[in-house]
Amino acid sequence: MNLVFLVLSAMLAMVGAWLLPLVGDLQRAAHVHLAFALGVMPLIMGAMTHFVPVLTRTGAAARQVQLLAGLAWQAGVLATAFFAFSLPPSVRLFAALLAVLAVARLAGWQWMRARAALGSPHPGVYWYLAALFCLLLALLAVAGMDAWPAQYLALKRLHLHLNLFGFVGLSAVGTLQVLLPTAAGQPDPQVAARLRGDLPAALGGTLLIALGAAWLPLLSALGLLLWLVPVGRLGVAWLARYRSGIFQRHGAMPLLAAALAGVVLSLLAGGAHGAGWLDSTGVAHLFVFSFLFPLVSGAAGQLLPLWFRPGRQTEWHDWARCRLTFAAGFRALLFLAAGLLVLAGFRWAAWLALAALLPFPLAALGVLWRARRA
């Protein structure tokens, strides 16, 4: 139930981040940290504790490892409160160090599981390790903001891009390559080779984008080109193998494919922002609406029934997935349209993203209620 809590918490955090500007005049960092630090970061870390044993063919994570995502969630609460209530800088530093502790412990556990794998571990594990490495650097940048105030803005940009394209981007793309074939019920025989070959470009692109955003913009352009290689290869492979499932009306596949499209759009918009053609607010909304919203709702729509009732898959699991991913094709289009329209300056399009998102937490609560009563 820890993973179920993290999914529902992430959904509520993202809806809350959407609503905050309507009910209060808080600085934008409060909205961002509500969605990312309190919602997305703990959810991704929790999902890793589910996927890593599968990818390494080892036993389930111990209870103390599963609780690391909860420790990160507490750090997210503190970080959000720091910006929402203008708390002392020591609160932000403590939150960052608390998250560092959780991330370092989780990375160490993943490394030991990779070493103990039956045979060679699935290369997706190394995408997770790379993602945690980026998150660790991003958190250490927070600690450096007070130590080197002259570099505050640069470290803030470094922190942001290491989180977006490093931690979230690497985790998401690594997971999508395994999750969409699972949702399709049709394995992808090229996934391991693609993950193995594309990680250097994705990680190198992330580091160049972050360093360029902080200090040398030309590096960001090079990083953007590097990142487009793995997502472009993945998109071509999916269209060749899963086209009919991607464009269906229901199921997780349309949402997962929309999340990949959202990654590509976010990378292109990030490059345009670096060139001074787009404002940061529009790019941030594109990332959230066209990438994060379909990613979380699509992945959770596929995985929540398994987390509700682990073990043998039954007709109930099929019913729950149908309920959670109903009209997913239409919702995926709404997510992409909302991100692009807000990027173009049509702020009212944020309502489209909310309309596409809300059916999922409502359906999840219904499924949870039925699962607990059965």
Side-chain angles (χ1 to χ4, degrees):
M1 291 301 293
N2 183 48
L3 287 169
V4 175
F5 166 78
L6 292 174
V7 170
L8 297 177
S9 175
M11 284 291 174
L12 292 174
M14 287 190 286
V15 172
W18 187 94
L19 290 172
L20 270 183
L22 304 179
V23 299
D25 188 24
L26 299 177
Q27 57 175 303
R28 192 175 65 182
H31 316 151
V32 171
H33 284 79
L34 177 59
F36 286 89
L38 187 56
V40 176
M41 178 181 69
L43 175 58
I44 290 177
M45 292 174 64
M48 287 177 177
T49 66
H50 166 80
F51 280 111
V52 168
V54 176
L55 297 175
T56 57
R57 297 174 294 280
T58 56
R63 180 66 175 166
Q64 59 265 33
V65 174
Q66 296 178 18
L67 290 176
L68 292 174
L71 187 62
W73 185 85
Q74 295 175 51
V77 171
L78 290 173
T80 304
F82 167 78
F83 290 104
F85 304 111
S86 300
L87 299 179
S90 58
V91 174
R92 180 182 60 186
L93 179 61
F94 180 72
L97 294 178
L98 197 64
V100 164
L101 177 64
V103 172
R105 177 69 180 89
L106 184 62
W109 171 77
Q110 289 187 18
W111 178 254
M112 289 188 291
R113 282 300 177 94
R115 295 284 300 273
L118 184 62
S120 298
H122 192 283
V125 174
Y126 298 110
W127 281 69
Y128 287 159
L129 283 168
L132 290 176
F133 170 71
C134 290
L135 177 56
L136 194 60
L137 291 179
L139 293 168
L140 292 175
V142 174
M145 290 177 186
D146 293 325
W148 296 284
Q151 295 295 318
Y152 179 87
L153 183 58
L155 290 170
K156 178 182 175 182
R157 291 170 177 166
L158 185 74
H159 171 81
L160 174 64
H161 288 82
L162 284 172
N163 273 323
L164 296 186
F165 297 113
F167 175 61
V168 179
L170 289 168
S171 301
V173 174
T175 301
L176 287 172
Q177 303 210 42
V178 176
L179 192 57
L180 187 137
T182 302
Q186 182 183 357
D188 181 355
Q190 302 300 319
V191 65
R194 195 168 54 240
L195 283 169
R196 193 175 296 110
D198 287 346
L199 179 56
L203 178 57
T206 295
L207 295 176
L208 287 174
I209 289 172
L211 291 171
W215 291 290
L216 188 60
L218 179 61
L219 294 179
S220 289
L222 296 175
L224 167 64
L225 293 175
L226 274 179
W227 239 120
L228 287 174
V229 172
V231 295
R233 277 164 43 87
L234 179 57
V236 169
W238 277 4
L239 287 174
R241 193 170 186 85
Y242 304 111
R243 183 187 300 268
S244 60
I246 286 172
F247 293 104
Q248 64 188 7
R249 288 181 293 177
H250 310 292
M253 292 178 68
L255 289 167
L256 298 176
L260 180 64
V263 172
V264 176
L265 292 173
S266 298
L267 285 167
L268 296 174
H273 168 63
W277 300 336
L278 294 173
D279 69 278
S280 60
T281 301
V283 175
H285 281 94
L286 173 70
F287 187 90
V288 172
F289 295 160
S290 296
F291 171 49
L292 277 186
F293 281 12
L295 171 69
V296 174
S297 54
Q302 179 66 24
L303 295 169
L304 260 185
L306 177 62
W307 294 341
F308 276 141
R309 289 186 178 178
R312 185 175 65 87
Q313 299 295 282
T314 65
E315 290 183 0
W316 180 88
H317 291 87
D318 294 334
W319 168 82
R321 288 192 177 95
C322 289
R323 181 74 181 86
L324 291 168
T325 60
F326 181 78
F330 177 65
R331 287 160 52 206
L333 290 176
L334 280 182
F335 284 135
L336 293 174
L340 290 172
L341 286 170
V342 172
L343 182 68
F346 299 98
R347 302 302 184 197
W348 55 264
W351 289 96
L352 297 179
L354 185 64
L357 180 67
L358 276 180
F360 180 83
L362 296 176
L365 290 173
V367 170
L368 176 60
W369 175 259
R370 182 162 171 175
R372 291 177 66 88
R373 294 190 63 186

